[in-house]
mmCIF file of all heavy atoms in Angstrom:
data_model
loop_
_atom_site.group_PDB
_atom_site.id
_atom_site.type_symbol
_atom_site.label_atom_id
_atom_site.label_comp_id
_atom_site.label_asym_id
_atom_site.label_seq_id
_atom_site.Cartn_x
_atom_site.Cartn_y
_atom_site.Cartn_z
ATOM 1 N N SER A 27 3.235 15.410 35.326
ATOM 2 C CA SER A 27 1.829 15.465 35.589
ATOM 3 C C SER A 27 1.547 15.422 37.141
ATOM 4 O O SER A 27 0.473 15.721 37.551
ATOM 5 C CB SER A 27 1.046 14.399 34.946
ATOM 6 O OG SER A 27 1.405 13.142 35.458
ATOM 7 N N GLN A 28 2.555 15.071 37.925
ATOM 8 C CA GLN A 28 2.394 14.900 39.356
ATOM 9 C C GLN A 28 2.750 16.236 40.108
ATOM 10 O O GLN A 28 2.675 16.295 41.301
ATOM 11 C CB GLN A 28 3.230 13.751 39.867
ATOM 12 C CG GLN A 28 2.813 12.405 39.272
ATOM 13 C CD GLN A 28 3.748 11.287 39.716
ATOM 14 O OE1 GLN A 28 4.293 11.277 40.794
ATOM 15 N NE2 GLN A 28 3.850 10.276 38.880
ATOM 16 N N VAL A 29 3.168 17.263 39.331
ATOM 17 C CA VAL A 29 3.622 18.486 39.968
ATOM 18 C C VAL A 29 2.485 19.167 40.675
ATOM 19 O O VAL A 29 2.591 19.664 41.865
ATOM 20 C CB VAL A 29 4.326 19.431 38.924
ATOM 21 C CG1 VAL A 29 4.582 20.772 39.516
ATOM 22 C CG2 VAL A 29 5.602 18.764 38.412
ATOM 23 N N CYS A 30 1.386 19.408 39.953
ATOM 24 C CA CYS A 30 0.221 20.108 40.548
ATOM 25 C C CYS A 30 -0.958 19.769 39.715
ATOM 26 O O CYS A 30 -0.855 19.230 38.560
ATOM 27 C CB CYS A 30 0.432 21.609 40.573
ATOM 28 S SG CYS A 30 0.599 22.398 38.933
ATOM 29 N N LYS A 31 -2.180 20.181 40.201
ATOM 30 C CA LYS A 31 -3.422 19.815 39.461
ATOM 31 C C LYS A 31 -3.487 20.491 38.077
ATOM 32 O O LYS A 31 -3.994 19.942 37.147
ATOM 33 C CB LYS A 31 -4.648 20.180 40.369
ATOM 34 C CG LYS A 31 -4.853 19.295 41.560
ATOM 35 C CD LYS A 31 -6.126 19.682 42.295
ATOM 36 C CE LYS A 31 -6.305 18.701 43.505
ATOM 37 N NZ LYS A 31 -7.519 19.111 44.181
ATOM 38 N N THR A 32 -3.069 21.749 38.052
ATOM 39 C CA THR A 32 -3.132 22.470 36.781
ATOM 40 C C THR A 32 -2.310 21.803 35.729
ATOM 41 O O THR A 32 -2.748 21.551 34.601
ATOM 42 C CB THR A 32 -2.616 23.919 36.934
ATOM 43 O OG1 THR A 32 -3.441 24.593 38.007
ATOM 44 C CG2 THR A 32 -2.779 24.684 35.662
ATOM 45 N N ILE A 33 -1.063 21.458 36.055
ATOM 46 C CA ILE A 33 -0.233 20.793 35.087
ATOM 47 C C ILE A 33 -0.710 19.394 34.781
ATOM 48 O O ILE A 33 -0.666 18.885 33.660
ATOM 49 C CB ILE A 33 1.228 20.707 35.626
ATOM 50 C CG1 ILE A 33 1.882 22.078 35.722
ATOM 51 C CG2 ILE A 33 2.106 19.776 34.746
ATOM 52 C CD1 ILE A 33 2.059 22.740 34.377
ATOM 53 N N TYR A 34 -1.309 18.721 35.776
ATOM 54 C CA TYR A 34 -1.848 17.361 35.602
ATOM 55 C C TYR A 34 -2.917 17.380 34.533
ATOM 56 O O TYR A 34 -2.867 16.567 33.587
ATOM 57 C CB TYR A 34 -2.405 16.886 36.922
ATOM 58 C CG TYR A 34 -3.198 15.548 36.758
ATOM 59 C CD1 TYR A 34 -2.503 14.334 36.807
ATOM 60 C CD2 TYR A 34 -4.580 15.569 36.684
ATOM 61 C CE1 TYR A 34 -3.272 13.154 36.691
ATOM 62 C CE2 TYR A 34 -5.320 14.412 36.577
ATOM 63 C CZ TYR A 34 -4.630 13.183 36.542
ATOM 64 O OH TYR A 34 -5.327 12.019 36.391
ATOM 65 N N HIS A 35 -3.870 18.294 34.644
ATOM 66 C CA HIS A 35 -4.944 18.369 33.645
ATOM 67 C C HIS A 35 -4.455 18.744 32.286
ATOM 68 O O HIS A 35 -5.007 18.295 31.246
ATOM 69 C CB HIS A 35 -6.042 19.313 34.114
ATOM 70 C CG HIS A 35 -6.769 18.856 35.335
ATOM 71 N ND1 HIS A 35 -7.570 17.713 35.295
ATOM 72 C CD2 HIS A 35 -6.897 19.356 36.584
ATOM 73 C CE1 HIS A 35 -8.088 17.490 36.486
ATOM 74 N NE2 HIS A 35 -7.702 18.529 37.294
ATOM 75 N N PHE A 36 -3.450 19.551 32.233
ATOM 76 C CA PHE A 36 -2.898 19.948 30.933
ATOM 77 C C PHE A 36 -2.167 18.858 30.221
ATOM 78 O O PHE A 36 -2.314 18.527 29.086
ATOM 79 C CB PHE A 36 -1.952 21.204 31.048
ATOM 80 C CG PHE A 36 -1.552 21.791 29.751
ATOM 81 C CD1 PHE A 36 -2.286 22.808 29.136
ATOM 82 C CD2 PHE A 36 -0.387 21.346 29.098
ATOM 83 C CE1 PHE A 36 -1.910 23.351 27.941
ATOM 84 C CE2 PHE A 36 -0.038 21.877 27.859
ATOM 85 C CZ PHE A 36 -0.774 22.869 27.275
ATOM 86 N N VAL A 37 -1.251 18.196 31.056
ATOM 87 C CA VAL A 37 -0.480 17.039 30.498
ATOM 88 C C VAL A 37 -1.328 15.885 30.041
ATOM 89 O O VAL A 37 -1.017 15.203 29.143
ATOM 90 C CB VAL A 37 0.568 16.589 31.555
ATOM 91 C CG1 VAL A 37 1.220 15.326 31.164
ATOM 92 C CG2 VAL A 37 1.596 17.666 31.708
ATOM 93 N N ASN A 38 -2.543 15.725 30.642
ATOM 94 C CA ASN A 38 -3.408 14.612 30.309
ATOM 95 C C ASN A 38 -4.136 14.779 29.001
ATOM 96 O O ASN A 38 -4.854 13.901 28.556
ATOM 97 C CB ASN A 38 -4.358 14.312 31.439
ATOM 98 C CG ASN A 38 -3.711 13.437 32.541
ATOM 99 O OD1 ASN A 38 -2.599 13.254 32.515
ATOM 100 N ND2 ASN A 38 -4.541 12.987 33.475
ATOM 101 N N ARG A 39 -4.007 15.933 28.409
ATOM 102 C CA ARG A 39 -4.705 16.192 27.121
ATOM 103 C C ARG A 39 -4.114 15.253 26.023
ATOM 104 O O ARG A 39 -2.948 15.089 25.989
ATOM 105 C CB ARG A 39 -4.622 17.694 26.719
ATOM 106 C CG ARG A 39 -5.300 18.625 27.636
ATOM 107 C CD ARG A 39 -5.104 20.026 27.135
ATOM 108 N NE ARG A 39 -5.644 21.029 28.060
ATOM 109 C CZ ARG A 39 -5.613 22.316 27.825
ATOM 110 N NH1 ARG A 39 -5.078 22.836 26.735
ATOM 111 N NH2 ARG A 39 -6.203 23.163 28.697
ATOM 112 N N ASP A 40 -5.045 14.856 25.126
ATOM 113 C CA ASP A 40 -4.600 14.015 24.010
ATOM 114 C C ASP A 40 -3.507 14.706 23.089
ATOM 115 O O ASP A 40 -2.650 14.032 22.604
ATOM 116 C CB ASP A 40 -5.801 13.578 23.181
ATOM 117 C CG ASP A 40 -6.559 12.426 23.779
ATOM 118 O OD1 ASP A 40 -6.117 11.933 24.850
ATOM 119 O OD2 ASP A 40 -7.504 11.968 23.163
ATOM 120 N N ALA A 41 -3.671 16.021 22.957
ATOM 121 C CA ALA A 41 -2.743 16.744 22.096
ATOM 122 C C ALA A 41 -1.319 16.633 22.615
ATOM 123 O O ALA A 41 -0.379 16.653 21.784
ATOM 124 C CB ALA A 41 -3.189 18.207 22.000
ATOM 125 N N VAL A 42 -1.086 16.516 23.878
ATOM 126 C CA VAL A 42 0.208 16.314 24.436
ATOM 127 C C VAL A 42 0.807 14.983 24.112
ATOM 128 O O VAL A 42 2.020 14.828 23.834
ATOM 129 C CB VAL A 42 0.204 16.579 25.951
ATOM 130 C CG1 VAL A 42 1.567 16.290 26.625
ATOM 131 C CG2 VAL A 42 -0.266 17.994 26.312
ATOM 132 N N TRP A 43 -0.053 13.951 24.126
ATOM 133 C CA TRP A 43 0.464 12.544 23.942
ATOM 134 C C TRP A 43 0.426 12.049 22.470
ATOM 135 O O TRP A 43 0.931 11.014 22.134
ATOM 136 C CB TRP A 43 -0.417 11.631 24.775
ATOM 137 C CG TRP A 43 -0.234 11.858 26.211
ATOM 138 C CD1 TRP A 43 -0.820 12.705 27.098
ATOM 139 C CD2 TRP A 43 0.741 11.113 27.004
ATOM 140 N NE1 TRP A 43 -0.346 12.600 28.328
ATOM 141 C CE2 TRP A 43 0.660 11.638 28.366
ATOM 142 C CE3 TRP A 43 1.666 10.122 26.769
ATOM 143 C CZ2 TRP A 43 1.412 11.111 29.423
ATOM 144 C CZ3 TRP A 43 2.482 9.644 27.813
ATOM 145 C CH2 TRP A 43 2.278 10.169 29.110
ATOM 146 N N ARG A 44 -0.135 12.876 21.568
ATOM 147 C CA ARG A 44 -0.362 12.370 20.231
ATOM 148 C C ARG A 44 0.936 12.004 19.506
ATOM 149 O O ARG A 44 1.066 10.964 18.814
ATOM 150 C CB ARG A 44 -1.130 13.402 19.384
ATOM 151 C CG ARG A 44 -1.644 12.882 18.050
ATOM 152 C CD ARG A 44 -2.620 13.813 17.415
ATOM 153 N NE ARG A 44 -3.171 13.205 16.219
ATOM 154 C CZ ARG A 44 -4.193 12.382 16.167
ATOM 155 N NH1 ARG A 44 -4.825 12.062 17.295
ATOM 156 N NH2 ARG A 44 -4.615 11.891 14.993
ATOM 157 N N LYS A 45 1.967 12.901 19.621
ATOM 158 C CA LYS A 45 3.259 12.628 18.964
ATOM 159 C C LYS A 45 3.898 11.349 19.484
ATOM 160 O O LYS A 45 4.421 10.541 18.739
ATOM 161 C CB LYS A 45 4.192 13.852 19.107
ATOM 162 C CG LYS A 45 5.535 13.601 18.507
ATOM 163 C CD LYS A 45 6.457 14.853 18.711
ATOM 164 C CE LYS A 45 7.830 14.607 18.158
ATOM 165 N NZ LYS A 45 8.681 15.784 18.432
ATOM 166 N N ILE A 46 3.835 11.235 20.829
ATOM 167 C CA ILE A 46 4.417 9.982 21.415
ATOM 168 C C ILE A 46 3.637 8.760 20.989
ATOM 169 O O ILE A 46 4.216 7.727 20.743
ATOM 170 C CB ILE A 46 4.457 10.150 22.977
ATOM 171 C CG1 ILE A 46 5.435 11.295 23.386
ATOM 172 C CG2 ILE A 46 4.790 8.808 23.640
ATOM 173 C CD1 ILE A 46 5.420 11.552 24.839
ATOM 174 N N ALA A 47 2.285 8.862 21.050
ATOM 175 C CA ALA A 47 1.484 7.736 20.724
ATOM 176 C C ALA A 47 1.740 7.158 19.288
ATOM 177 O O ALA A 47 1.683 5.976 19.080
ATOM 178 C CB ALA A 47 -0.003 8.075 20.829
#
Side-chain angles (χ1 to χ4, degrees):
S27 69
Q28 300 175 29
V29 170
C30 66
K31 288 185 178 179
T32 302
I33 293 295
Y34 172 83
H35 290 298
F36 189 90
V37 169
N38 278 9
R39 295 180 183 180
D40 278 3
V42 174
W43 290 88
R44 191 170 184 85
K45 179 181 177 182
I46 292 175

